[in-house]
Amino acid sequence: MSFKRLDPEDFLVSADSLTAPAWSNYSASLTAATMVTHASQTGGPSGQYYTNVYNLIESNPNAEAQFAIAYGDLKGSGSFLYNSSIPGLSPSRTVYGQFVNLLLGEDEGASLNFGGPAANDQTFIALVINRARYKQAIKPGSFQLQLSAFAPFITDNSLITPTVDYTNAGRRYTLGSGSFGDGRPFGAQGVFGYLYPDVGVILLNPSAVGSTPTRPFNNTANDATNFEGRITRFFLQSEETVTSDFVFCRARNAEFNYSINPSFSVSASAGSILYNDFIQNPVTYITSVGMYNDNNELLAVAKLSKPLKKDFTKEALIRVKLDF
Amino acid sequence: MGYLNNSIVTVDAILTRKGRELLARNDGSFRITQFALADDEIDYTMWDPDNPLGSTFYGAAIDNMPLLEAFPDETQAMKYLLTTLPRGTSKLPILDVGYQVISLYQGASIAITPQTLNYLGGTQTYESSGYVATIGDVRLLSNFNGVGINTAQATALNSTTTLGAAVSKTVVGTTINMTATTTNALFPEGITQLSTSLIVIGRDSGARIVIPVQLNKNTNC
């Protein structure tokens, strides 16, 4: 017998949370020197809506988008109108409605609320983290943003808040002044913004972080690209839950002590065992573990890093981990 | 392909091509229910029962050898299964399918009834659980099924085929039926013979045999 059935207790499903720096090559932070925009993107059709920030220059084939910056405006200022005869409808207005819909679950007539002067609720800067960078979620408490000409460090309040707000876009943490999760209220312009870790979005209140937009109409103020130039350091970590399926394969002392390996016999066609000693005291070496379904189809295979000796005096327990 | 770091004992697991195919099929066929152990890469002729340092060193040439990473091709992994036999067994089970090579012309059929030699005291036995037969490239056959094992799983297995690229197909039975395809499109210009392999494994004994399969083009068509 070569195939051994697994019992229910031989399986274990375990979910483990993994966190790591979000940026490419596991860089702990992006700095002004390691953030670039690509002219082909900012000058292209998508550049009307957002600015992608990369880790390497455009000519480098290894360049990867790290995050995007989008500017939203309830009145549609800061970008060209789609049609000059229809006021207020522009890419910045589209971006505003898009995020209101995503984050508040409202139609585009609703507005955000940063808790300061009402005029501040009409604009925002969204940092949209590339999905491959934040994996399943942004790790709360890992976000810290440093801007030029703005002394406070911007971070979330996950370490100090007693409760977590649950919104249409999942968890929401308020941004304030501090470092790594202890963001506290600062100034009279309302909160710095919000962190939505489950959708990889950081929404900033421009007026509270020293980026009050000039809001020209039917003109590109390039607020997103301008904001990229203000970032001096950006810390972020990703968070993901990896579900692992552990399979425990047990070889009892009397099992798996012979082999159909052609070198185990004198002649593959006759089947006589290679050494007389092996007739009473066979020795085999386990190098591979195969996982099969009921039809003996090989679904997964595991290789040991070194051969594992097996004979009638030994039992083996091999733990195979399958990640999904 | 590379070597595994053997300074510590680790287990490096991957899904096979077949595993990915069944996972994509999403019909419950990707369900691990059993395991097998194999000793691929081990050359037992390096076992040295005459080592003057004693029995502890008989396996010195094997004990610390580096091993290659797992192959995703299910027909290339788990080649030599370890098997459970009564202590004192002097002859290992061997499969006999009656052919050294299977050579078929387009549209031709063949039925294979494997037998196991040297198993459980019998010189020639048909294993009660049947045989697993895997064809490396199912495109070469218009019919490939097993008969004689009437479990629900075996019936479902024998009636399912994944279409598309060169994928393997596995069936279970005591007799394996094969019919060569009549499709000419598989033959590149100027090529009149295609090859693959048939792997047959005894479900009880673990004995395994690999038979080359040749598909010959009917050039008079």
Side-chain angles (χ1 to χ4, degrees):
Chain A
M1 189 181 69
S2 292
F3 300 97
K4 185 174 179 183
R5 291 201 75 78
L6 292 156
D7 296 323
E9 60 266 25
D10 292 330
F11 293 93
L12 173 69
V13 178
S14 174
D16 299 303
S17 179
L18 300 179
T19 61
W23 311 125
S24 291
N25 303 319
Y26 296 113
S27 299
S29 67
L30 292 176
T31 63
T34 58
M35 287 186 292
V36 291
T37 59
H38 291 179
S40 64
Q41 190 272 322
T42 55
S46 65
Q48 299 177 68
Y49 298 88
Y50 61 89
T51 296
N52 263 341
V53 179
Y54 298 82
N55 58 334
L56 295 168
I57 59 173
E58 189 161 4
S59 58
N60 192 318
N62 296 320
E64 293 180 312
Q66 306 296 296
F67 65 97
I69 305 173
Y71 172 71
D73 193 311
L74 181 63
K75 302 284 177 129
S77 73
S79 55
F80 288 108
L81 299 173
Y82 293 121
N83 184 329
S84 57
S85 62
I86 305 174
L89 279 185
S90 68
S92 66
R93 179 66 184 86
T94 298
V95 168
Y96 192 92
Q98 177 184 30
F99 280 85
V100 165
N101 180 268
L102 173 72
L103 305 178
L104 303 182
E106 303 282 351
D107 62 31
E108 58 184 27
S111 67
L112 301 163
N113 182 5
F114 289 122
N120 289 357
D121 298 337
Q122 296 185 359
T123 61
F124 65 79
I125 288 170
L127 307 182
V128 184
I129 311 302
N130 192 297
R131 221 291 300 159
R133 305 272 68 83
Y134 77 86
K135 297 191 170 68
Q136 290 178 354
I138 294 171
K139 182 189 174 192
S142 71
F143 165 66
Q144 182 174 291
L145 186 67
Q146 297 166 217
L147 302 175
S148 61
F150 188 67
F153 291 176
I154 302 167
T155 187
D156 61 80
N157 67 345
S158 58
L159 289 185
I160 57 173
T161 184
T163 58
V164 180
D165 293 334
Y166 279 87
T167 69
N168 190 55
R171 292 171 293 170
R172 185 184 78 170
Y173 295 95
T174 302
L175 304 183
S177 169
S179 58
F180 297 113
D182 70 346
R184 297 166 195 278
F186 182 90
Q189 296 295 319
V191 299
F192 284 176
Y194 298 107
L195 166 68
Y196 296 88
D198 298 318
V199 293
V201 169
I202 297 153
L203 207 65
L204 295 172
N205 173 1
S207 300
V209 298
S211 285
T212 306
T214 54
R215 305 185 75 187
F217 286 90
N218 205 20
N219 190 355
T220 173
N222 225 345
D223 291 290
T225 306
N226 290 341
F227 189 79
E228 188 272 331
R230 287 193 59 210
I231 300 174
T232 56
R233 202 153 198 191
F234 191 173
F235 293 88
L236 200 71
Q237 288 186 9
S238 65
E239 190 173 61
E240 67 177 331
T241 300
V242 175
T243 303
S244 302
D245 197 349
F246 291 99
V247 185
F248 294 90
C249 302
R250 302 163 209 269
R252 305 296 299 272
N253 59 75
E255 297 171 336
F256 302 109
N257 293 321
Y258 293 88
S259 171
I260 64 159
N261 188 316
S263 70
F264 198 82
S265 49
V266 177
S267 148
S269 59
S272 300
I273 287 178
L274 182 61
Y275 303 111
N276 287 335
D277 284 354
F278 276 10
I279 295 174
Q280 285 301 327
N281 298 302
V283 175
T284 56
Y285 284 89
I286 303 166
T287 62
S288 316
V289 185
M291 304 285 147
Y292 294 83
N293 63 9
D294 277 336
N295 298 320
N296 299 84
E297 291 173 294
L298 181 58
L299 306 179
V301 62
K303 286 293 290 281
L304 276 62
S305 58
K306 60 197 292 187
L308 184 63
K309 197 174 177 181
K310 177 75 181 70
D311 60 35
F312 273 101
T313 67
K314 292 186 175 67
E315 298 202 342
L317 171 58
I318 302 168
R319 188 188 72 167
V320 178
K321 182 184 175 194
L322 295 168
D323 288 339
F324 292 99
Chain B
M1 185 176 72
Y3 282 105
L4 294 159
N5 177 0
N6 72 350
S7 57
I8 54 168
V9 180
T10 60
V11 179
D12 170 49
I14 59 167
L15 293 186
T16 61
R17 230 172 28 182
K18 174 61 70 176
R20 291 182 187 281
E21 177 195 333
L22 299 188
L23 197 60
R25 199 181 284 169
N26 195 29
D27 61 358
S29 54
F30 186 92
R31 184 163 173 267
I32 294 170
T33 57
Q34 49 188 342
F35 76 94
L37 304 176
D39 59 2
D40 300 0
E41 301 180 50
I42 299 295
D43 179 359
Y44 287 97
T45 60
M46 291 191 297
W47 178 266
D48 180 13
D50 300 321
N51 193 308
L53 295 174
S55 60
T56 306
F57 294 89
Y58 289 176
I62 302 174
D63 288 341
N64 292 306
M65 66 179 282
L67 297 174
L68 298 173
E69 292 173 317
F71 304 129
D73 184 344
E74 66 278 358
T75 63
Q76 299 304 317
M78 301 298 293
K79 282 184 171 176
Y80 307 124
L81 300 183
L82 301 184
T83 186
T84 301
L85 296 169
R87 194 166 191 167
T89 297
S90 60
K91 282 196 163 187
L92 296 168
I94 296 171
L95 287 194
D96 178 16
V97 298
Y99 296 92
Q100 300 291 322
V101 176
I102 296 173
S103 185
L104 297 171
Y105 277 91
Q106 286 179 283
S109 297
I110 193 171
I112 296 167
T113 305
Q115 297 177 71
T116 309
L117 314 181
N118 309 332
Y119 186 54
L120 298 179
T123 52
Q124 200 163 313
T125 312
Y126 298 103
E127 295 186 26
S128 58
S129 299
Y131 298 85
V132 181
T134 302
I135 188 80
D137 184 351
V138 72
R139 297 177 306 169
L140 271 56
L141 303 176
S142 59
N143 177 50
F144 181 59
N145 63 34
V147 295
I149 300 295
N150 297 317
T151 63
Q153 294 95 337
T155 304
L157 183 67
N158 291 332
S159 61
T160 309
T161 299
T162 298
L163 303 173
V167 293
S168 67
K169 182 182 178 182
T170 299
V171 297
V172 170
T174 53
T175 296
I176 311 300
N177 296 312
M178 305 165 65
T179 303
T181 184
T182 54
T183 305
N184 284 328
L186 287 175
F187 292 88
E189 185 67 32
I191 301 294
T192 58
Q193 188 180 73
L194 300 175
S195 300
T196 185
S197 61
L198 176 72
I199 302 168
V200 183
I201 300 173
R203 295 181 87 188
D204 295 327
S205 67
R208 179 182 195 266
I209 191 168
V210 181
I211 308 156
V213 176
Q214 297 167 351
L215 172 61
N216 303 295
K217 189 174 185 181
N218 292 336
T219 51
N220 56 349
C221 293

